[in-house]
Amino acid sequence: MTGARSGRRAGDSGTREAIVTAARRRFAENGYDGATIRGIAADAGVDPALVLHFHGTKERLFAASLQLTVVPGELITSVLAAERRRLGEEFTGHLGEIVVRSVLTVWEKEDARASFVGMLRSAATNEQAARMLREFVTTTIMTALSQAVGPDAGEPDPATRRYRASLVASQVIGLAFTRYVLQLAPVTSASAAELVAAIGPTIQRYLTGDLSSG
Amino acid sequence: MTGARSGRRAGDSGTREAIVTAARRRFAENGYDGATIRGIAADAGVDPALVLHFHGTKERLFAASLQLTVVPGELITSVLAAERRRLGEEFTGHLGEIVVRSVLTVWEKEDARASFVGMLRSAATNEQAARMLREFVTTTIMTALSQAVGPDAGEPDPATRRYRASLVASQVIGLAFTRYVLQLAPVTSASAAELVAAIGPTIQRYLTGDLSSG
């Protein structure tokens, strides 16, 4: 069965999956502007019209390719829930290292790293992609993080929780950018354990520490 | 009129422009470290001495080629030297807030912010530009920072100084990316004073704190 043949059946989830897989790779390699519907269709072995039939627009396809890789918000929520059960009262004090270890574990998987780096590349060069990534980070990752430092973890103010979560995003995104995009030597070659020890306390302070003075 | 002839007149803006154009091409092709004053001069059809006459140093020529309004390595070195004179023995303890306040002050100038964001955008999508930015950050910005935490500030090991400087780069670049490129709401709307208070201690710890445990 070729991709083109299977594509004739609109309900074929294999074709839909092949298109999204091709899109994910193209967006990662070429960024949002550089990836074309035509190129994605060619990679998936289908007609460009079928890509549009399934996904409507390049933007929707981009969104679909984000949702079908690791879903960061869900992942963070489930990791934090598991760690909360495991650590009990100590959970809040270990949030920083849990966050750093989790993102590094995810990024060790090449697919997940490639899709995140692709998101950064796209956001860097295209306002539409930046808006999508911004909304995505806000509605999933920041929501998951700000729940973790909610009232029962000592931060009753929702605006402060969002500020804390955005500071975490600034360091986590900066880590990804220097480690994988810029490939700045010592950060790139450092082990996960070294980075958890170095950056974990930063994230911990952003989530639960005093932010108004040094 | 050839480049070589125009080069004889030191005030000739055409020659200056030819040198910058040649530099831009060489930096893109060979990276920051690989590009030489000699090679750039040859491409522009002028004597290497004339390149130095116009631009002083390779870093300044690089800044000119990117239309940067500031020379980052020089700026950091001069800000740190001024603060060291002003604060005396307290200098080392205030490094974190000095670094955050300095970059935010520079980025408040639209030209400087646009150049830096342009460098990030280019590096995000083009391996050649990433290599150039990586080498530039390493040989200028990280060198300036690692001098600031050198033996007299308590860090005798050069490899550790580089690691510390690269951690600083991860947070500073992440701040620029979330504040100006991604425009993630609370980080984007926060005042410079708020960010200095929130992020200064992170930079301080990366430069002078214990990185091996939380």
Side-chain angles (χ1 to χ4, degrees):
Chain A
M1 182 175 80
T2 69
R5 276 197 62 214
S6 66
R8 292 195 192 103
R9 281 165 289 157
D12 190 334
S13 67
T15 302
R16 182 186 286 268
E17 186 56 36
I19 291 169
V20 170
T21 301
R24 189 179 304 141
R25 198 169 52 237
R26 283 273 173 165
F27 284 129
E29 282 172 11
N30 305 333
Y32 184 80
D33 282 349
T36 62
I37 296 289
R38 185 173 298 275
I40 290 163
D43 287 358
V46 302
D47 192 88
L50 194 66
V51 175
L52 295 174
H53 168 76
F54 275 130
H55 296 283
T57 63
K58 183 169 156 183
E59 290 155 31
R60 287 185 173 197
L61 181 57
F62 180 72
S65 79
L66 295 188
Q67 284 160 9
L68 287 171
T69 58
V70 176
V71 184
E74 281 180 18
L75 182 77
I76 290 171
T77 300
S78 74
V79 166
L80 294 183
E83 291 293 314
R84 195 188 284 268
R85 281 193 301 274
R86 189 173 71 86
L87 292 167
E89 286 184 6
E90 287 179 37
F91 168 74
T92 304
H94 288 80
L95 263 172
E97 60 194 73
I98 293 167
V99 168
V100 179
R101 193 178 301 114
S102 300
V103 296
L104 288 171
T105 301
V106 169
W107 292 337
E108 269 166 25
K109 293 168 195 145
E110 201 178 320
D111 283 3
R113 182 174 68 245
S115 67
F116 188 76
V117 168
M119 285 161 67
L120 287 183
R121 288 190 207 282
S122 302
T125 48
N126 179 276
E127 175 47 36
Q128 181 66 26
R131 193 185 117 215
M132 276 191 286
L133 179 57
R134 177 168 63 243
E135 291 171 357
F136 184 67
V137 167
T138 304
T139 57
T140 63
I141 298 173
M142 284 176 55
T143 299
L145 277 177
S146 70
Q147 277 166 359
V149 290
D152 57 330
E155 185 55 70
D157 177 35
T160 305
R161 292 208 299 270
R162 279 196 300 276
Y163 182 47
R164 291 181 179 283
S166 73
L167 289 168
V168 172
S170 80
Q171 173 63 86
V172 169
I173 287 171
L175 174 62
F177 199 92
T178 45
R179 188 166 164 91
Y180 303 118
V181 179
L182 199 56
Q183 297 183 14
L184 202 62
V187 159
T188 297
S189 53
S191 70
E194 286 173 314
L195 292 172
V196 168
I199 296 177
T202 297
I203 305 301
Q204 185 67 42
R205 187 170 155 279
Y206 290 162
L207 289 174
T208 62
D210 179 8
L211 298 180
S212 62
S213 64
Chain B
M1 184 173 76
T2 68
R5 274 196 64 215
S6 65
R8 291 191 195 109
R9 282 165 289 157
D12 190 332
S13 68
T15 302
R16 182 186 286 267
E17 190 51 43
I19 291 169
V20 169
T21 302
R24 198 171 290 137
R25 198 167 53 237
R26 281 274 174 164
F27 282 129
E29 282 172 12
N30 305 333
Y32 182 77
D33 288 348
T36 63
I37 296 290
R38 184 173 298 275
I40 290 164
D43 287 358
V46 301
D47 192 88
L50 194 65
V51 175
L52 294 174
H53 167 77
F54 274 130
H55 295 283
T57 63
K58 185 167 152 183
E59 188 188 354
R60 288 186 170 200
L61 180 56
F62 180 72
S65 78
L66 289 177
Q67 296 173 322
L68 296 188
T69 53
V70 296
V71 185
E74 281 182 16
L75 183 77
I76 290 171
T77 301
S78 75
V79 167
L80 293 183
E83 292 293 314
R84 194 188 284 270
R85 280 193 302 275
R86 188 172 73 84
L87 292 167
E89 286 183 8
E90 288 179 38
F91 168 76
T92 304
H94 287 80
L95 262 172
E97 61 193 70
I98 293 167
V99 168
V100 179
R101 194 179 299 113
S102 299
V103 295
L104 289 170
T105 302
V106 169
W107 291 338
E108 270 167 24
K109 293 167 195 147
E110 200 178 323
D111 284 2
R113 184 174 65 245
S115 320
F116 188 76
V117 168
M119 286 164 70
L120 284 185
R121 287 190 207 283
S122 303
T125 48
N126 180 279
E127 174 47 36
Q128 207 75 281
R131 188 180 132 211
M132 200 160 58
L133 180 57
R134 174 170 64 243
E135 292 172 356
F136 181 68
V137 167
T138 304
T139 57
T140 62
I141 297 173
M142 282 176 56
T143 298
L145 277 177
S146 70
Q147 276 166 0
V149 290
D152 57 328
E155 185 55 70
D157 176 35
T160 305
R161 291 208 299 269
R162 281 195 299 276
Y163 183 47
R164 290 181 180 283
S166 72
L167 288 168
V168 171
S170 80
Q171 174 62 87
V172 169
I173 287 171
L175 174 61
F177 198 91
T178 45
R179 189 166 163 91
Y180 303 119
V181 179
L182 199 56
Q183 297 184 14
L184 201 63
V187 158
T188 297
S189 54
S191 71
E194 285 173 313
L195 292 173
V196 168
I199 296 176
T202 297
I203 306 300
Q204 185 68 41
R205 187 170 154 280
Y206 289 163
L207 289 173
T208 63
D210 178 8
L211 299 179
S212 62
S213 64

